[in-house]
Amino acid sequence: MSSYDAYKKRQPSARARRDQALMACIRDVYEANYSCYGVRKMWRAINREHADQFGPVARCTVERLMRQLGIDGLRRKRKRPKTASARAEQ
């Protein structure tokens, strides 16, 4: 048996199994919160609501999985102050 065949028959690692469960959880939390949570809020929400299921989840793990899912937080445009133009002298 080649090493490739052994790789294909191998069971998913513990990290891969946990990542799959976390991805489903991240998608649910993201959609429940109007698709606007970024990494920091998502990380806090998962550790607050799902700590009993996953234990402590690292922020970099949430960031990596959100990147894999193509999920990103909502960015708000910065409002720039508007200047009043000078009046033309007559």
Side-chain angles (χ1 to χ4, degrees):
M1 180 189 310
S2 69
S3 58
Y4 176 76
D5 291 333
Y7 162 74
K8 291 302 279 183
K9 290 181 181 179
R10 193 176 310 141
Q11 295 293 319
S13 65
R15 176 182 168 175
R17 289 192 305 265
R18 183 175 188 240
D19 283 355
Q20 287 300 321
L22 269 171
M23 284 174 144
C25 178
I26 286 173
R27 195 175 299 113
D28 292 343
V29 171
Y30 186 73
E31 290 170 0
N33 291 289
Y34 308 104
S35 303
C36 64
Y37 273 13
V39 174
R40 190 187 79 208
K41 283 187 177 182
M42 183 70 68
W43 170 63
R44 288 185 178 272
I46 287 175
N47 278 320
R48 181 177 54 243
E49 298 167 10
H50 302 282
D52 55 339
Q53 184 180 359
F54 299 109
V57 179
R59 183 176 169 159
C60 59
T61 301
V62 174
E63 184 178 348
R64 176 175 53 85
L65 295 176
M66 284 179 71
R67 197 177 318 119
Q68 283 181 6
L69 289 168
I71 292 175
D72 203 5
L74 190 67
R75 288 185 179 84
R76 307 224 185 260
K77 288 188 176 181
R78 194 178 99 210
K79 293 183 181 179
R80 295 189 179 126
K82 297 191 172 154
T83 57
S85 52
R87 292 188 177 186
E89 292 184 26
Q90 293 179 353

